[in-house]
Amino acid sequence: MKVPLSWIREFVDITASAEEIGKLMSVRGLALEGLEPFDSPPGLPPDGSLRASREPDVVMDFDVTANRPDCLSVIGIAREIATAYQLPMNPAAIAPGFSRGIGGGNAAGGVPVTIDEPELCARYVGGVATVKVGPSPQWMQDRLIACGIRPISNIVDITNYVLLELGQPMHAFDRARLGGGRIVVRRARAGEAIKTLDGKMRTLTTDMLVIADAERAQAIGGVMGGVDSEVSDATSQIVFEAAWFNPASIRATSKALGLKTEASTRFERGMDRTAPPRAMARALELIEKISAGKATAAVTDVYPRPHQPQTVPLEQRRIIGLLGMDVPDANVERILGSLGFEVQSTLAPPMDAAGAPARHGGWNVLSPPWRVDIHRQVDLIEEVGRHHGFEHLPATFPGVEVAPPPSDPRLARDRRMRNALLGMGFSETITFAFIEATAAEPYLDDQPPVTLANPLSEKFVVMRPSLLPGLVDVLSHNRRHGRPDVRIFEIGTRFTPAGETRGAAFAWMGLGTPDHWSGARRAVDFSDVKGVVEQLATLAAVDVTFSEAERPFLVRGRAANILINGAVVGVLGQLAPEIGESRDLPAASEVYAAEVNLDAVTAAAPIETRRAAPLPRHPFVVRDVSMLVANTLSAESVRGTIRSAAPSTLVQVREFDRYEGKGIPEGSVSLSFRLTFQSPERTLTDDEVQAAMQTIVDALTRELQAVQR
């Protein structure tokens, strides 16, 4: 809101400079955004009621928040400044001198007004004047220009001048161009059109309010007038309009039409229902002061449902409790009274030690009609606090808790997992939790996705059910930028209808070992990612096993479930080529990935602290065994049979060879295992080891129909 300082001084006798005023008001909730030089015009109306100063003037640009439409006016800003400087307002500037003929209902000789929609238009004031249209005085034009409004004619300039001064939007009709000589406030008819003052034809809908005559719409209520009744040089008699319109209706109409005006900006924030008569009186007064015509007593005021002001109780103890400082009773009453509130002390005051009333217990506060933002006690306390000055808050140290709350144990777990993956050569990524619906579909596991009610775009429609879609996109980005060898991971939250879980996922593309002259190049394979999962399981102090898995995003036969105590906690395998291709990843790029539910891993981990065991004092014994088994059996099944049949001295089972081809019967595969035996108490004998080996071979032969090679 731009306003010259000289205009403010007509309402409050403030001697401080613009810089001083701006500095104080910025900490009173009315921030000053800038200052512009302005030369005050020397011209005055005949009666000299507007004081002009030949001293250098300045335009002050205030930042008015959306909840304070009363400050979109000179009088509103002046009221705030008067309260901050503890100065009275100028009564002559507040109350317009013209008041004759403003009463209730349709006045004789005035324009008849009918309100068909009192919910959308609660009050309509119409005034009539005989005018001679021409340019407005230079002082008025200069003030409008300083506030960012282009002068048009004396009549239109008066409506804009009142808009800036009192905050009440107004409009002027050419009375001769009103069909039937009457005004009807109604909803627009379906398909009804009107050509507005900006020269555009606009088609209206039935939820929009129009100001019409007996025949057609002449203005869009609260937004903009129409050209059919526009004031021109030939106009001899006008009808001034000042009304109250429903804020929600004006906001919806302005948005639907893409039409934002000074009037709609004020109406959609909420206006003072008692302001239209004052604005009308001021406009009629200005017509005579600038010799633009003669006002008549024919003023119509249709107000079917008078608004009842709201009374809000204010307790002294609540002021202290919310602000953290004690505001004297006299200051509370002065601040609220200066802002236009009616303050009455009604609550019983507490007593002092002598049995006399110590101070007010509280007040009943009647809100002024222009303060549409006041609804609760806390709103009043905010007014008291900002004008008493938050700089008066006592300096205190923040409270310190005896013991800080315990940290989330998941943070330490995630940190350990992160450090382990970084140590294995992976780089951490952070991807969006919102992804495309098509990207999430392969990972849903027959569950519906968690969708967003108001997504930013089609790329952010659902919450990710897995961390892998984001990792695949990161791989695709790196591959497009010439990086074929990538290891990445992410630790984050996944979302399903059942709730949120924390997970760790990693993806590996390209070489399985660093490219080096000392060895041959080798691409990453299933065993590499399986080894990473086993390392993470060791870190979490859990034993994992693997079983065959089928997932739509993994290659069949190269996918495995990760199990702890028989429960699935994750999955690993080779990414299906079609999944990569759908995310712009070349089909030739083999990607291996894994994802683990960290919450399930933590739940299965032992509670007791891990302890170090002494190094074995007795030697170990290694034996190899090769078995022919059906190629439909998994290596995990063979290892499980070996462990169940072996004695407790078997400490390690490792598969070191797998062969299919010449010399191997069709439908079979040769698996070679290296078994390590060791006792913590003594050295094992060959007979003991051989007996254990025979027991293992017998179990494989009996349970899996295996044949020893």
Side-chain angles (χ1 to χ4, degrees):
M1 174 69 187
K2 292 184 176 182
V3 56
L5 178 57
S6 59
W7 204 348
I8 294 174
R9 285 173 172 163
E10 291 179 6
F11 288 88
V12 56
D13 191 12
I14 178 75
T15 59
S17 67
E19 290 80 4
E20 293 171 337
I21 294 173
K23 183 177 180 180
L24 178 61
M25 298 311 299
S26 292
V27 296
R28 294 292 188 264
L30 194 63
L32 180 68
E33 289 202 330
L35 297 173
E36 301 174 9
F38 172 59
D39 292 331
S40 297
L44 288 172
D47 63 357
S49 61
L50 292 174
R51 295 176 297 162
S53 171
R54 295 183 182 274
E55 298 177 0
D57 200 358
V58 64
V59 175
M60 306 182 71
D61 187 1
F62 290 99
D63 180 18
V64 180
T65 56
N67 67 324
R68 293 298 305 275
D70 60 298
C71 286
L72 292 174
S73 64
V74 179
I75 190 173
I77 293 175
R79 188 181 294 114
E80 290 288 324
I81 293 174
T83 303
Y85 281 92
Q86 303 184 32
L87 296 171
M89 294 283 283
N90 179 12
I94 297 174
F98 186 94
S99 60
R100 61 183 184 274
I102 298 183
N106 285 297
V111 59
V113 175
T114 302
I115 299 179
D116 289 345
E117 296 292 337
E119 293 298 327
L120 302 183
C121 177
R123 189 170 197 175
Y124 194 97
V125 177
V128 179
T130 301
V131 299
K132 180 174 179 57
V133 179
S136 58
Q138 190 62 45
W139 60 265
M140 181 176 284
Q141 293 187 37
D142 289 343
R143 279 192 170 176
L144 293 177
I145 292 172
C147 296
I149 295 181
R150 177 175 60 89
I152 297 175
S153 68
N154 50 7
I155 304 304
V156 177
D157 290 354
I158 285 175
T159 63
N160 287 328
Y161 193 88
V162 173
L163 166 78
L164 295 172
E165 186 175 62
L166 303 182
Q168 172 65 48
M170 296 189 68
H171 183 65
F173 299 97
D174 185 332
R175 188 176 189 182
R177 301 171 73 177
L178 292 177
R182 60 182 296 108
I183 287 178
V184 180
V185 185
R186 60 171 173 83
R187 290 180 184 269
R189 302 186 180 99
E192 188 171 14
I194 180 175
K195 190 174 185 180
T196 49
L197 291 173
D198 58 359
K200 296 181 180 180
M201 185 64 71
R202 302 182 186 274
T203 302
L204 310 179
T205 59
T206 55
D207 56 351
M208 297 179 181
L209 190 72
V210 298
I211 312 302
D213 57 18
E215 302 167 1
R216 62 190 183 279
Q218 294 288 358
I220 303 173
V223 181
M224 184 176 283
V227 298
D228 289 344
S229 57
E230 182 180 8
V231 174
S232 66
D233 292 343
T235 301
S236 61
Q237 196 171 52
I238 62 164
V239 175
F240 272 139
E241 167 197 276
W244 185 95
F245 297 114
N246 184 283
S249 172
I250 301 302
R251 187 181 303 113
T253 299
S254 175
K255 184 176 181 180
L257 296 177
L259 187 57
K260 193 80 168 179
T261 63
E262 291 285 345
S264 67
T265 298
R266 287 162 172 79
F267 278 126
E268 69 183 23
R269 298 186 182 191
M271 293 300 301
D272 176 6
R273 298 185 191 220
T274 66
R278 294 195 300 275
M280 183 62 65
R282 180 59 169 156
L284 296 177
E285 180 182 49
L286 285 172
I287 277 191
E288 297 186 355
K289 284 186 176 181
I290 68 173
S291 302
K294 182 69 175 177
T296 71
V299 177
T300 300
D301 185 1
V302 180
Y303 195 13
R305 300 175 186 174
H307 177 67
Q308 298 301 320
Q310 180 183 14
T311 300
V312 180
L314 175 61
E315 302 170 81
Q316 175 62 248
R317 63 179 183 85
R318 288 280 288 163
I319 296 176
I320 300 173
L322 286 179
L323 295 182
M325 60 181 172
D326 189 6
V327 182
D329 295 341
N331 281 9
V332 174
E333 295 175 1
R334 177 193 61 78
I335 291 169
L336 295 178
S338 180
L339 291 173
F341 295 87
E342 294 184 20
V343 184
Q344 296 178 345
S345 175
T346 59
L347 301 182
M351 300 296 178
D352 61 13
R359 58 187 306 173
H360 290 298
W363 302 266
N364 273 344
V365 181
L366 187 68
S367 298
W370 56 82
R371 290 305 301 271
V372 295
D373 60 313
I374 303 298
H375 304 286
R376 303 170 300 167
Q377 184 171 194
V378 292
D379 298 329
L380 294 174
I381 295 174
E382 180 185 1
E383 298 301 298
V384 172
R386 67 187 182 88
H387 275 293
H388 181 68
F390 291 114
E391 65 272 15
H392 296 139
L393 282 169
T396 58
F397 286 102
V400 178
E401 297 184 7
V402 176
S407 61
D408 190 337
R410 295 180 300 177
L411 297 177
R413 174 202 67 191
D414 292 355
R415 190 181 306 113
R416 290 196 303 272
M417 292 292 176
R418 180 178 294 107
N419 291 337
L421 287 166
L422 290 171
M424 286 185 274
F426 288 82
S427 298
E428 184 174 13
T429 67
I430 299 176
T431 63
F432 286 113
F434 308 144
I435 61 176
E436 298 175 64
T438 54
E441 186 176 356
Y443 307 88
L444 292 176
D445 290 336
D446 298 326
Q447 291 185 333
V450 178
T451 59
L452 299 180
N454 187 24
L456 296 176
S457 72
E458 288 299 322
K459 291 187 175 293
F460 305 104
V461 175
V462 301
M463 305 291 286
R464 62 185 180 192
S466 166
L467 299 174
L468 293 178
L471 295 183
V472 172
D473 285 345
V474 175
L475 289 177
S476 176
H477 175 84
N478 279 269
R479 190 68 183 85
R480 291 195 305 270
H481 288 76
R483 292 182 59 86
D485 306 318
V486 181
R487 303 185 202 183
I488 54 174
F489 76 93
E490 182 172 6
I491 297 174
T493 304
R494 296 92 51 83
F495 305 87
T496 66
E500 303 176 7
T501 56
R502 293 284 289 178
F506 62 87
W508 195 338
M509 175 180 71
L511 294 179
T513 56
D515 196 7
H516 196 263
W517 59 267
S518 61
R521 295 169 60 90
R522 181 180 69 80
V524 62
D525 59 21
F526 184 90
S527 298
D528 291 318
V529 293
K530 178 173 174 287
V532 174
V533 172
E534 290 172 335
Q535 289 291 332
L536 296 178
T538 301
L539 178 66
V542 295
D543 294 324
V544 295
T545 57
F546 303 91
S547 66
E548 294 183 61
E550 289 191 14
R551 295 288 195 282
F553 56 91
L554 296 177
V555 175
R556 186 172 184 177
R558 297 186 181 181
N561 290 318
I562 305 169
L563 301 95
I564 299 178
N565 299 327
V568 177
V569 299
V571 66
L572 66 92
Q574 182 183 352
L575 186 73
E578 59 270 20
I579 298 296
E581 290 179 9
S582 68
R583 310 306 297 174
D584 296 328
L585 197 62
S589 302
E590 286 193 3
V591 176
Y592 286 86
E595 184 168 20
V596 180
N597 185 334
L598 290 181
D599 294 336
V601 172
T602 300
I607 299 177
E608 63 271 9
T609 304
R610 299 181 65 186
R611 297 180 180 275
L615 292 174
R617 299 177 57 189
H618 303 282
F620 56 83
V621 180
V622 177
R623 292 287 188 271
D624 293 342
V625 62
S626 296
M627 305 294 295
L628 289 176
V629 298
N631 59 8
T632 56
L633 283 176
S634 66
E636 180 63 30
S637 300
V638 180
R639 286 193 294 270
T641 302
I642 292 174
R643 289 193 185 96
S644 62
S648 60
T649 54
L650 179 66
V651 295
Q652 187 181 58
V653 179
R654 186 170 65 86
E655 179 187 350
F656 67 88
D657 186 55
R658 184 181 188 277
Y659 175 69
E660 283 182 287
K662 186 177 180 180
I664 303 299
E666 186 176 353
S668 298
V669 62
S670 173
L671 296 180
S672 298
F673 294 89
R674 180 156 294 158
L675 311 181
T676 303
F677 298 88
Q678 189 175 36
S679 171
E681 301 170 351
R682 58 188 176 82
T683 301
L684 297 175
T685 66
D686 286 342
D687 291 340
E688 289 175 315
V689 174
Q690 186 59 39
M693 289 294 296
Q694 189 60 49
T695 301
I696 291 171
V697 171
D698 291 344
L700 292 172
T701 303
R702 181 178 62 255
E703 298 179 17
L704 303 180
Q705 291 74 50
V707 177
Q708 185 176 12
R709 294 185 65 192

